[in-house]
Amino acid sequence: MKALNLFTQHLPTFLKALAITTYVTVISLIFATLIGIVFGLFKISKKKPLVLAANFYLSIIRGTPLLVQTLFIYFGLPMALGFRWPWATFYWRSQPILAAIVIMSLNAGAYMTELVRGGIESVDPGQMEAARSLGMSYGQAMVQVVMPQALRTMLPSIVNQFIVTLKDTSLLSMIGLRELVQNAKIIVANNMEALTMYAIVGLFYWVIVTLLSSAASNLERRTTYGK
Amino acid sequence: MASKIIVKNLKKAFGPLEVIKDMSLEVEDREVVVVIGPSGSGKSTFLRCLNRLESIDGGTVIIDGFDLTDKSVDINKVRRNIGMVFQHFNLFPHKTALGNVMLAPITLGILSKTQATERGLEMLRKVGLSDKANVYPAQLSGGQKQRVAIARSLALNPDVMLFDEPTSALDPEMVSEVLAVMKELANGGMTMVVVTHEMGFAREVGDRVIFMDGGYIVEEGSPEELIRNPKEPRTIDFLRKVL
Ligand SMILES: Nc1ncnc2c1ncn2[C@@H]1O[C@H](COP(=O)(O)OP(=O)(O)OP(=O)(O)O)[C@@H](O)[C@H]1O
Ligand SMILES: [Mg+2]
């Protein structure tokens, strides 16, 4: 079994690449959630400038391909602002991790913004009214009453966004991040085993995505409190 | 004795729809005022103006000496003193019964967690639901939910309670348990404004009944005289339908 041999031979680098893929996805999703909460609140606010700022951000991210965003942020911004993306940040040596996280956070942040807005709007307005009538401020009511309910209904969609972002990190091979695809590319350059190597990459994605999808549908089933 | 609630020439419109055209009303300390009127006549809107859940377009509303139309008044502080009970309970589904009652005192920094637990349990006892402290709203009956909602308002020790059709969403057999709690509150000296179609409650507990229609108070009086001997044709017409 040649394929199996190739698989075991390259398993250590693939596991490291998988770790990088997962790391970038998880950290980016955390930032994206924070971005989503901030811009989601902007979007539903009554202050025009905040709404405009949110709409501007959303339209840029959703109106352009992730590949263009990646090239722009990684190659374009440093030229304009005169800096270089560090290659030894966070936990990983010699990887453009910071750039990767910035790119994926900004991208997923836009989609999370829509999820947060939808989540907040799905909460019965009577919840906000009850909290306000008890003397809570808008912010207190948001944090204590509306957001916990919104996040809970959003949970399955957040897992879906996680899946999308996980797959999207494959584009980061463009900037040399040694995630799954880049790892395969490097190996293929040496051994020319494109079919087997990319099949292995696909298998890795497929296993994780399948696991996460079933987690998401599990979450969807448990939506009532105290049940 | 100064009035608890003073409403003068209140106006409220939603866009072109003038829901409240000109309403004035004073509610004395410890008084129970029952508000009746046809559907869409603005009863809920009126009540919601009393704690400024709806913005006020004209006139003044003074609660406990605080002018709600005065921009410098901290509305959040005033609202602590005004409990509100909604037709659909609006309990927080992610909190237990006790959690619902404790949330505001803790969030507002009025009570410590231990004090709030004690107070919460006391309020639940008051509405007869001590045994449901750790149960989520999804597992309570309608009547129990509404009693928890009342306990939640009472936790802040308000001077005034507003009720917006508190029993209209309940199955008939659960109406009386909620009315009993409200009656006890009234007997305890709570100042209350109650929108309801429960004429029995109005008669027994109300000090005054006002009939609203078309953006005005059409008629007001003691429950006996207004319900037995209404004078205005519109009141007569309405009462004939609900009684
Ligand atoms: N937020 C709002 N925006 C626009 N119109 C509203 C709003 N709230 C209420 N209205 C309208 O104002 C009128 C009065 O509504 P309100 O809910 O105060 O009536 P109500 O007397 O409480 O009726 P019901 O007995 O059905 O509860 C209705 O025509 C309603 O459609
Ligand atoms: Mg109403």
Side-chain angles (χ1 to χ4, degrees), chain A residues 68-217:
Chain A
V68 174
Q69 294 161 22
T70 304
L71 298 175
F72 181 84
I73 290 173
Y74 190 72
F75 298 107
L77 279 189
M79 280 183 90
L81 304 174
F83 75 101
R84 294 185 55 177
W85 286 107
W87 267 60
T89 40
F90 292 87
Y91 179 70
W92 304 94
R93 306 252 162 262
S94 35
Q95 294 293 331
I97 288 280
L98 181 64
I101 288 171
V102 169
I103 291 162
M104 296 317 292
S105 302
L106 285 176
N107 180 267
Y111 298 95
M112 290 296 293
T113 298
E114 285 296 15
L115 290 186
V116 171
R117 186 190 56 80
I120 291 174
E121 282 175 354
S122 77
V123 176
D124 172 12
Q127 292 289 308
M128 176 57 94
E129 292 183 348
R132 295 304 305 272
S133 76
L134 289 164
M136 290 186 216
S137 66
Y138 178 84
Q140 288 169 330
M142 250 321 159
V143 171
Q144 298 292 339
V145 174
V146 178
M147 274 296 180
Q149 294 178 61
L151 286 174
R152 179 144 181 170
T153 57
M154 282 164 55
L155 222 49
S157 317
I158 292 179
V159 177
N160 282 328
Q161 182 58 46
F162 189 94
I163 291 172
V164 170
T165 301
L166 181 91
K167 291 194 283 189
D168 281 351
T169 55
S170 58
L171 274 175
L172 295 171
S173 59
M174 287 300 300
I175 65 170
L177 180 77
R178 193 158 179 169
E179 42 67 62
L180 289 169
V181 171
Q182 178 70 1
N183 191 53
K185 273 188 181 171
I186 291 170
I187 296 168
V188 170
N190 282 317
N191 69 4
M192 301 297 158
E193 295 283 353
L195 177 68
T196 315
M197 286 303 136
Y198 291 127
I200 292 174
V201 169
L203 187 68
F204 272 108
Y205 283 113
W206 181 80
V207 169
I208 306 176
V209 170
T210 307
L211 290 176
L212 286 172
S213 302
S214 73
S217 54

Side-chain angles (χ1 to χ4, degrees), chain B residues 111-131:
Chain B
L111 299 179
S112 72
K113 206 164 170 199
T114 339
Q115 290 169 320
T117 309
E118 210 170 287
R119 172 117 189 117
L121 289 171
E122 186 192 329
M123 291 304 111
L124 286 176
R125 199 177 316 122
K126 200 163 171 173
V127 299
L129 289 172
S130 301
D131 55 327

Side-chain angles (χ1 to χ4, degrees), chain B residues 38-45 48 87 164-165 195:
Chain B
S39 178
S41 59
K43 304 178 299 291
S44 298
T45 305
R48 292 157 58 85
Q87 181 174 0
D164 190 1
E165 303 202 36
V195 175

